[in-house]
Amino acid sequence: MKARVTVMLKNGVLDVQGEAVRHALGTLGFAGVDGVRQGKVIELDLAERDAAKAEADVKAMCDKLLANTVIESYRVEIL
């Protein structure tokens, strides 16, 4: 079973990397980009065969390691 975790900064948290990308796009001539939020995608290959158990395990992984839940939110997809 595979899982995909998408981690993003929470709304209201300054995204310095996103702002740098937005600025660079403008410099390259891509006008009209008002904002950029940058995150990360983590793909996991899991031995677990039960989808509900796999999702619970991945959420625990996110809470303990994969995301800084103070400033980041995450979304888990079981594929």
Side-chain angles (χ1 to χ4, degrees):
M1 185 166 293
K2 293 185 182 287
R4 180 179 298 133
V5 178
T6 304
V7 181
M8 298 291 293
L9 287 172
K10 290 181 178 179
N11 288 334
V13 176
L14 178 63
D15 187 343
V16 177
Q17 289 180 318
E19 185 58 25
V21 170
R22 186 198 61 76
H23 177 72
L25 288 170
T27 301
L28 293 170
F30 296 102
V33 178
D34 293 331
V36 176
R37 302 289 289 174
Q38 184 169 321
K40 58 188 171 187
V41 175
I42 302 162
E43 292 189 351
L44 303 164
D45 290 321
L46 306 170
E48 182 61 56
R49 296 294 172 226
D50 180 80
K53 175 76 166 87
E55 184 173 358
D57 288 348
V58 172
K59 285 181 178 180
M61 292 176 200
C62 290
D63 289 333
K64 292 180 180 182
L65 177 68
L66 300 178
N68 177 349
T69 57
V70 173
I71 62 170
E72 294 174 320
S73 61
Y74 62 85
R75 182 179 73 239
V76 174
E77 299 172 83
I78 301 300
L79 309 172

